[in-house]
């Protein structure tokens, strides 16, 4: 097959995307592959790409929110926000990273200890299920308890439960975004990297890990809770009962440690929302 | 099932000290703080462990009995109103603090533990449990989790969700589920996000690991009086745009001031239309710098006065305006109803104009409290509930206000939850497809129709349409 073996669908509207999912039965990789290094090779032959669902729809500085389509490059969102003196604390990862991709992956970022993650910033979204159902969750205001927080649950779902099409984010003045407490590791985009979030680790354990990390060019963030270091696939760092690990270039072992009790519930959700397992198979260890 | 048989069955399971029944019990538990609707249970159980909760739920499953979890019953949307003839599962004997882990800043508590008791247990270590709903001296951890409670400090510290690290609950199939880890920040999809704010529909939470937050080393609190609402809201916008994240930013309108004057003799500058309570906290030095910025912004919005607390006593005094404002309305009328809606903060001036109009048309008094940074509005009607016409007017006025919140791009509820109160109004925010996906999720994690039935999502099968009632009298 031409084009590297992948058939790419590039719907031009949410309705077209829904129709595409509805009318096909084959598994599909959601997204443009910008984060492929973090996920196991899904071995699917079709890709559902959202670059035509791109653009900022609303910026409301007085209300501290932005509504943006999922296919929008993160860089574009940040630059539009900056024009209004606003920002979002995640710097991105790669030039191809989209807003939908960052929300779907929810990878650690350099200000995680200080500003939280995408789960804290997503206040609403629109998404499409594998059967073509288009739905919304959340709202466009920063505080709402109307209905279940499906949008917060979908953050980090890696394209396996629904296809994100539009996201509403709470944003903040650029002035309030702290300087990154840690620097990116040199060459980290291409080299294997392990990130460990160690909130809740005893101080002595943190010291041990910090020493281990320092030997590999790592650093500890200001909140004292995140250690970044570089390691090769398969190399084991000190492990604690309370950490989670996201490994790039490490295929099957990525996200293999779900928090206690999560797997059965996520399987139930997967069964309800994508019963035929069509969406980005392999991205989550379920 | 007959009441006697039911009571005997439950007593056999968890002992007589854990079971209550009879007409006065049914009456005492027939509603929570949403008193517009009432529904009598057959029995109330007070289990003292997760295993007892599990036994009760399995009993209810065997006998097809609906059941409703209940904490302190301070909920304002009917979330703890029992199903008619069902069982109330009270958490009032689940009051143990199970583990305190100061090094890792976490604490494990049973779901019946009162919110402030968590803070009290760790205060000596300079830590606290950050979520501070107004009910916090009474409301329970389980209730705070079910409603994803907020409070004045939500602006800086978040609602309840970011402070929950793990949960233990009994699901609707009678299985005990332990969720979460000691660390937060798992990047993948988080099913706890559905249970927190799940309004007691997905099972009964019996225990939770909570995050403990350091008590800020320095606090600055100030009260600013403004000549117009617009000046006050512009000051709020200015404060947020400057990158200041106050710990609290609360606005009260002149009608609250009237109540405070009547009740406590508190006075404010002539011509005050709105008061703004601002609190900044953090490392020593930082709050004072932030407050200086806040003061400059307030002055640029023509504030009539700006009073900064010089010590803890004065700080408590300034907070009186916020904490006692609603109670003070008792001086103005026999009854109050506090509503809860959210609007984009930029829409506050036009929203308040509408609220005053609605109250005038309804012929009832109104005072407004506003979590200004979040856009969360609490219009409080004061009226005489002995007059059924006033009651009806207040209920309809509340609905008009909530509808307008949605029209302005907001939400039907910022804190109190949907429960029964806002169930039909949820359709203003969500399409049938949206609600269908919510139900799909609900049925995946919590199959069955017995756990706190007929709440939150409208038009569920087999649910009798909610009727508006006041103390049992329908109209």
């Amino acid at each position: 097959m031409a084009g590297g073996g992948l058939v790419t669908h590039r719907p031009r509207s949410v309705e077209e995307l829904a129709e595409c999912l509805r009318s096909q039965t084959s598994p599909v990789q959601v997204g443009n592959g910008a984060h492929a290094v973090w996920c196991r090779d899904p071995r699917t032959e079709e890709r559902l790409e959202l670059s035509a669902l791109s653009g900022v729809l609303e910026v409301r500085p007085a209300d501290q929110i932005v509504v943006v389509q999922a296919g929008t490059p993160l860089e574009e969102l940040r630059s539009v926000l900056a024009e209004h003196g606003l920002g979002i604390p995640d710097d991105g990862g790669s030039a191809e990273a989209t807003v939908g991709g960052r929300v779907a992956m929810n990878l650690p970022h350099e200000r995680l200890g200080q500003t939280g993650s995408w789960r804290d910033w997503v206040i609403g979204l629109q998404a499409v299920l594998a059967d073509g159902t288009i739905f919304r969750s959340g709202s466009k205001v920063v505080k709402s308890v109307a209905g279940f927080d499906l949008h917060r649950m979908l953050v980090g779902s890696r394209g396996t439960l629904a296809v994100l099409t539009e996201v509403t984010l709470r944003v903040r003045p650029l002035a309030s975004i702290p300087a990154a407490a840690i620097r990116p590791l040199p060459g980290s985009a291409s080299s294997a990297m392990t990130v460990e979030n160690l909130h809740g680790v005893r101080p002595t354990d943190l010291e041990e890990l910090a020493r281990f990390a320092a030997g590999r060019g790592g650093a500890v963030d200001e909140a004292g809770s995140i250690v970044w270091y570089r390691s090769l696939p398969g190399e084991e760092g000190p492990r604690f009962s309370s950490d989670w690990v996201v490994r790039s270039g490490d295929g099957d072992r990525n996200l293999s440690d779900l928090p206690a009790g999560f797997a059965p519930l996520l399987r139930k959700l997967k069964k309800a929302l994508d019963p035929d397992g069509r969406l980005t198979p392999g991205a989550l260890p379920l | 099932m007959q009441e006697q048989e039911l009571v005997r069955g439950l007593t056999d399971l968890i002992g007589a000290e854990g079971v209550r029944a009879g007409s006065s019990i049914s009456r005492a538990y027939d509603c929570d703080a949403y008193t517009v609707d009432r529904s009598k249970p057959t029995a109330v159980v007070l289990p003292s462990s997760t295993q007892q909760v599990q036994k009760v739920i399995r009993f209810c499953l065997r006998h097809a009995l609906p059941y409703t979890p209940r904490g302190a019953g301070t909920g304002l949307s009917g979330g703890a109103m029992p199903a008619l003839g069902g069982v109330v599962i009270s958490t009032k004997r689940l009051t143990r603090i199970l583990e305190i882990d100061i090094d890792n800043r976490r604490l494990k508590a049973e779901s019946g533990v009162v919110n402030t008791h968590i803070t009290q247990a760790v205060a000596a270590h300079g830590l606290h449990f950050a979520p501070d709903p107004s009910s916090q001296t009474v409301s329970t951890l389980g209730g705070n989790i079910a409603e994803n409670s907020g409070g004045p400090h939500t602006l800086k510290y978040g609602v309840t969700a970011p402070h929950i690290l793990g949960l233990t609950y009994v699901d609707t199939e009678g299985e005990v589920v332990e969720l979460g880890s000691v660390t937060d920040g798992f990047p993948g999809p988080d099913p706890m996000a559905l249970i927190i704010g799940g309004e007691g529909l997905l099972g009964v939470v019996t225990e939770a690991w909570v995050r403990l937050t350091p008590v800020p080393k320095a606090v600055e609190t100030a009260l600013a009086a403004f000549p117009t609402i617009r000046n006050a809201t512009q000051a709020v916008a200015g404060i947020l745009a400057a990158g200041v994240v106050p710990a609290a930013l609360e606005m009260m309108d002149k009608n609250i001031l009237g109540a405070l004057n009547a009740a406590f003799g508190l006075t404010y500058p002539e011509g005050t239309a709105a008061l703004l309570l601002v609190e900044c906290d953090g490392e020593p030095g930082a709050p004072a710098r932030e407050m200086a910025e806040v003061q400059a912004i307030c002055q640029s919005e023509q504030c009539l006065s700006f009073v900064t607390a010089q010590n803890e006593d004065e700080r408590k005094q300034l907070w009186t305006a916020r904490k006692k404002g609603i109670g003070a309305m008792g001086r103005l009328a026999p009854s109050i109803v506090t509503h809860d809606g959210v609007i984009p903060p930029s829409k506050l001036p036009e929203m308040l104009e509408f609220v005053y109009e609605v109250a005038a048309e309804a012929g009832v008094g109104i005072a407004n409290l506003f979590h200004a940074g979040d856009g969360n509005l609490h219009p409080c009607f004061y009226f005489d509930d002995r007059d059924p016409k006033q009651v009806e007017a207040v209920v309809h006025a509340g609905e008009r206000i909530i509808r307008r919140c949605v029209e302005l791009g907001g939400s039907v509820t910022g804190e109190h939850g949907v429960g029964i109160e806002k169930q039909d109004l949820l359709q203003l925010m969500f399409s049938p497809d949206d609600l269908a996906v919510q139900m799909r999720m609900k049925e995946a994690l919590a199959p069955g129709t017995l756990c706190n039935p007929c709440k939150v999502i409208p038009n569920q099968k087999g649910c009798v349409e909610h009727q508006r009632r006041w103390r049992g009298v329908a109209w």
Side-chain angles (χ1 to χ4, degrees):
Chain A
M1 225 185 271
L6 257 172
V7 172
T8 301
H9 304 276
R10 194 171 167 272
R12 287 158 303 177
S13 70
V14 180
E15 291 72 25
E16 223 180 279
L17 192 156
E19 183 50 37
C20 175
L21 285 170
R22 215 175 1 246
S23 60
Q24 318 240 344
T25 51
S26 42
V28 71
Q29 211 187 115
V30 180
N32 64 4
H35 296 95
V37 73
W38 297 92
C39 303
R40 186 174 76 190
D41 175 5
R43 306 202 191 284
T44 54
E45 289 172 354
E46 296 187 34
R47 170 172 278 162
L48 183 59
E49 209 241 3
L50 273 72
S51 59
L53 296 180
S54 180
V56 173
L57 298 173
E58 270 184 80
V59 190
R60 289 205 253 130
D63 302 322
Q64 311 248 297
I65 66 133
V66 66
V67 185
V68 56
Q69 294 181 89
T72 312
L74 183 68
E75 269 315 301
E76 184 181 319
L77 171 65
R78 289 167 55 90
S79 122
V80 169
L81 288 175
E83 283 167 27
H84 292 88
L86 299 167
I88 202 122
D90 184 1
D91 282 344
S94 85
E96 286 86 36
T98 62
V99 174
R102 295 307 280 175
V103 172
M105 295 299 295
N106 195 30
L107 290 171
H109 62 92
E110 293 158 13
R111 297 170 183 81
L112 184 58
Q114 302 145 290
T115 62
S117 76
W118 288 92
R119 186 168 294 118
D120 301 305
W121 311 330
V122 173
I123 59 177
L125 55 73
Q126 180 198 53
V128 184
L129 296 179
D131 67 7
T133 306
I134 303 171
F135 71 98
R136 286 185 179 273
S137 170
S139 69
K140 292 187 177 175
V141 281
V142 302
K143 193 174 189 191
S144 173
V145 288
F148 298 100
D149 283 353
L150 277 177
H151 51 290
R152 290 189 68 245
M153 187 277 291
L154 287 172
V155 174
S157 58
R158 305 185 156 209
T160 60
L161 296 176
V163 180
L164 308 181
T165 50
E166 184 192 293
V167 182
T168 303
L169 300 164
R170 74 179 299 172
V171 291
R172 62 190 74 201
L174 269 177
S176 72
I177 297 182
I182 50 181
R183 296 173 310 285
L185 299 172
S188 57
S190 52
S191 60
M193 178 170 71
T194 300
V195 173
E196 304 215 22
N197 178 342
L198 297 166
H199 281 279
V201 171
R202 297 179 189 287
T204 49
D205 295 340
L206 190 57
E207 279 161 28
E208 185 191 336
L209 186 64
R211 272 197 297 277
F212 176 85
R216 286 162 176 72
V220 179
D221 92 333
E222 212 173 78
S225 61
I226 299 174
V227 175
W228 299 64
Y229 61 91
R230 185 187 330 195
S231 74
L232 297 172
E235 187 186 53
E236 283 295 325
R239 294 296 306 280
F240 306 91
S241 62
S242 56
D243 62 17
W244 51 258
V245 176
V246 179
R247 296 189 178 86
S248 69
D250 206 17
D252 287 356
R253 297 172 69 197
N254 208 341
L255 272 196
S256 58
D257 300 319
L258 299 182
F262 276 31
L265 294 191
L266 291 176
R267 279 193 283 265
K268 286 180 185 173
L269 287 168
K270 177 74 169 172
K271 191 151 164 245
L273 302 178
D274 179 23
D276 299 326
R278 291 174 50 212
L279 298 181
T280 322
L284 274 183
L286 292 183
Chain B
M1 199 184 194
Q2 295 287 25
E3 181 184 320
Q4 273 181 329
E5 212 186 319
L6 185 114
V7 171
R8 202 170 30 242
L10 290 168
T11 306
D12 286 345
L13 275 181
I14 68 170
E17 67 278 12
V19 184
R20 306 273 185 280
S23 63
S24 47
I25 289 291
S26 288
R27 223 172 41 240
Y29 281 84
D30 70 5
C31 69
D32 54 21
Y34 177 68
T35 55
V36 175
D37 204 353
R38 292 160 189 258
S39 173
K40 291 189 176 13
T42 302
V44 176
V45 296
L46 300 99
S48 57
S49 68
T50 302
Q51 284 62 42
Q52 286 197 344
V53 172
Q54 182 180 38
K55 284 182 178 168
V56 171
I57 289 180
R58 286 182 165 172
F59 178 90
C60 290
L61 291 172
R62 276 198 300 277
H63 300 285
L65 288 165
Y67 55 93
T68 300
R70 179 190 182 101
T74 54
L76 288 159
S77 55
M81 188 188 84
L84 190 63
V87 174
V88 170
I89 302 181
S90 165
T91 60
K92 289 309 254 175
R93 289 173 73 213
L94 291 168
T95 50
R96 290 175 297 164
I97 289 179
L98 298 170
E99 229 181 291
I100 302 181
D101 181 357
I102 297 293
D103 282 347
N104 291 309
R105 294 187 185 163
R106 56 187 193 124
L107 176 152
K108 190 178 197 187
E110 291 183 318
S111 54
V113 170
V114 168
N115 176 296
T116 47
H117 291 184
I118 299 174
T119 293
Q120 283 161 21
V122 295
H125 298 274
L127 296 171
H128 74 300
F129 181 53
D132 65 338
S134 300
S135 59
Q136 67 179 153
T137 55
V138 183
S139 62
T140 62
L141 177 59
N144 294 166
I145 288 170
E147 303 297 334
N148 199 8
S149 300
H153 286 83
T154 296
L155 184 60
K156 182 167 180 182
Y157 291 93
V159 289
T160 299
H163 301 276
I164 304 299
L165 300 173
L167 293 174
T168 301
Y169 72 103
V170 183
D171 74 10
T172 62
E173 293 179 298
E175 297 301 320
V176 177
V177 180
E178 284 185 39
L179 278 189
S181 71
V182 299
T183 56
D184 66 323
F186 170 65
D190 186 359
M192 288 203 301
L194 298 170
I195 296 160
I196 303 167
E199 304 203 26
L201 266 59
L202 303 179
V204 179
V205 173
T206 55
E207 297 170 5
W209 277 103
V210 306
R211 180 207 298 270
L212 301 172
T213 309
V215 174
K217 299 206 182 75
V219 182
E220 291 280 332
T221 310
L223 195 62
F226 291 91
T228 70
I229 301 273
R230 204 164 277 276
N231 282 124
T233 53
Q234 277 164 188
V236 169
I239 291 167
L240 297 175
V244 173
V245 184
L249 199 51
E250 301 282 284
M251 199 184 299
M252 285 78 67
D253 76 356
K254 65 181 186 306
N255 297 346
I256 295 250
L257 308 195
L260 289 167
N261 180 254
F264 303 108
L266 297 175
T267 58
Y268 301 97
E270 176 107 18
T272 301
L275 276 184
L276 192 66
L277 179 73
V278 188
E279 185 157 279
C280 296
D281 67 21
E283 292 298 299
R289 279 193 298 278
E290 289 188 328
M291 196 54 87
E293 256 192 277
V294 168
Q295 181 163 9
I297 291 165
C298 290
Q299 278 161 351
S300 75
E301 287 298 333
Q302 328 302 330
C303 68
L304 303 169
S305 70
F306 191 93
V307 177
T308 312
Q310 299 304 312
N311 54 51
E312 185 58 24
D313 280 341
E314 287 186 17
R315 177 174 171 258
K316 287 199 165 87
Q317 255 236 334
L318 294 185
W319 271 96
T320 303
R322 163 64 181 86
K323 295 203 170 180
K324 302 245 168 128
I326 294 185
M329 288 162 64
R331 288 286 172 146
L332 306 179
S335 199
I336 65 161
V337 165
T338 307
H339 284 290
D340 168 53
V342 186
I343 48 167
S346 60
K347 303 283 186 191
L348 178 63
E350 88 180 78
M351 184 66 206
L352 277 184
E353 269 167 39
F354 180 74
V355 167
Y356 292 136
E357 225 177 84
V358 165
E361 282 166 19
V364 291
I366 182 96
N368 288 284
L369 201 60
F370 189 54
H371 299 301
D374 302 321
N376 191 186
L377 179 67
H378 291 302
C380 309
F381 290 106
Y382 53 92
F383 61 106
D384 188 344
D385 69 333
R386 294 166 296 189
D387 176 359
K389 282 209 166 55
Q390 285 194 39
V391 171
E392 197 177 338
V394 159
V395 172
H396 288 306
E399 187 170 319
R400 287 184 70 193
I401 287 171
I402 300 304
R403 280 178 184 276
R404 181 56 67 96
C405 286
V406 179
E407 280 163 25
L408 292 176
S411 171
V412 299
T413 171
E415 291 178 324
H416 297 176
V418 175
I420 306 163
E421 185 198 13
K422 307 267 174 75
Q423 198 170 13
D424 297 331
L425 296 174
L426 210 52
Q427 293 166 105
L428 297 175
M429 289 177 73
F430 298 112
S431 71
D433 276 350
D434 300 336
L435 296 172
V437 174
Q438 300 231 336
M439 277 310 287
R440 262 163 92 162
M441 177 284 299
K442 188 259 170 202
E443 272 152 13
L445 295 190
T449 56
L450 297 175
C451 184
N452 211 7
C454 301
K455 307 248 177 98
V456 184
I457 310 291
N459 307 319
Q460 292 179 58
K461 272 202 307 266
C463 291
V464 173
E465 196 188 311
H466 167 59
Q467 289 176 30
R468 298 295 167 83
R469 285 191 282 267
W470 182 271
R471 304 209 172 126
V473 180
W475 69 80

